[in-house]
Amino acid sequence: MAQATLSDAPGGFAPQHDVREFAATSVPVAGSLGATGTAGPFVPELDRAVWVTLSGVWAGSVQLLRSTDGGTTRLALTYSDGSARAIWTGAVNAPVVDDSCAGATYYLQFTRTSGTLVYEVRQ
């Protein structure tokens, strides 16, 4: 979380951010799907944003799923009210989640209507 500190910035305060001096060492999951299917697992480093990039010429939906039991159970990400999140029907390039649970893994579930999805999950 950013902290306000006295500085030469307008108003005298500027946010200070945690800066990591090294790149994430998690292994990206990348490829393409031309049929309904699942990609993964992606094993994230703790407390770093997980980015999802979707491209290609495709129609259908993609959902990011999370598991804490080695992939046996894969659950959709939701908001606190239970409504679904991390579901896409078009191109995306965005940070999606920042996990602090050791052992969590992520999967992309593609439900294809047509075309080929090109994907990447990385940090």
Side-chain angles (χ1 to χ4, degrees), residues 76-103:
L77 300 180
T78 62
Y79 294 103
S80 59
D81 68 359
S83 62
R85 65 180 275 235
I87 300 174
W88 303 279
T89 58
V92 67
N93 183 30
V96 179
V97 67
D98 188 338
D99 208 321
S100 62
C101 179

Side-chain angles (χ1 to χ4, degrees), residues 18 20 22-28 42-53 64 77 85 93-100 106 120-123:
D18 292 334
R20 298 197 185 198
F22 55 93
T25 58
S26 56
V27 178
F42 174 71
V43 181
E45 286 185 23
L46 298 181
D47 299 319
R48 285 184 181 262
V50 174
W51 283 74
V52 172
T53 302
L64 186 66
L77 300 180
R85 65 180 275 235
N93 183 30
V96 179
V97 67
D98 188 338
D99 208 321
S100 62
Y106 290 88
E120 181 179 52
V121 182
R122 73 173 310 126
Q123 290 182 299

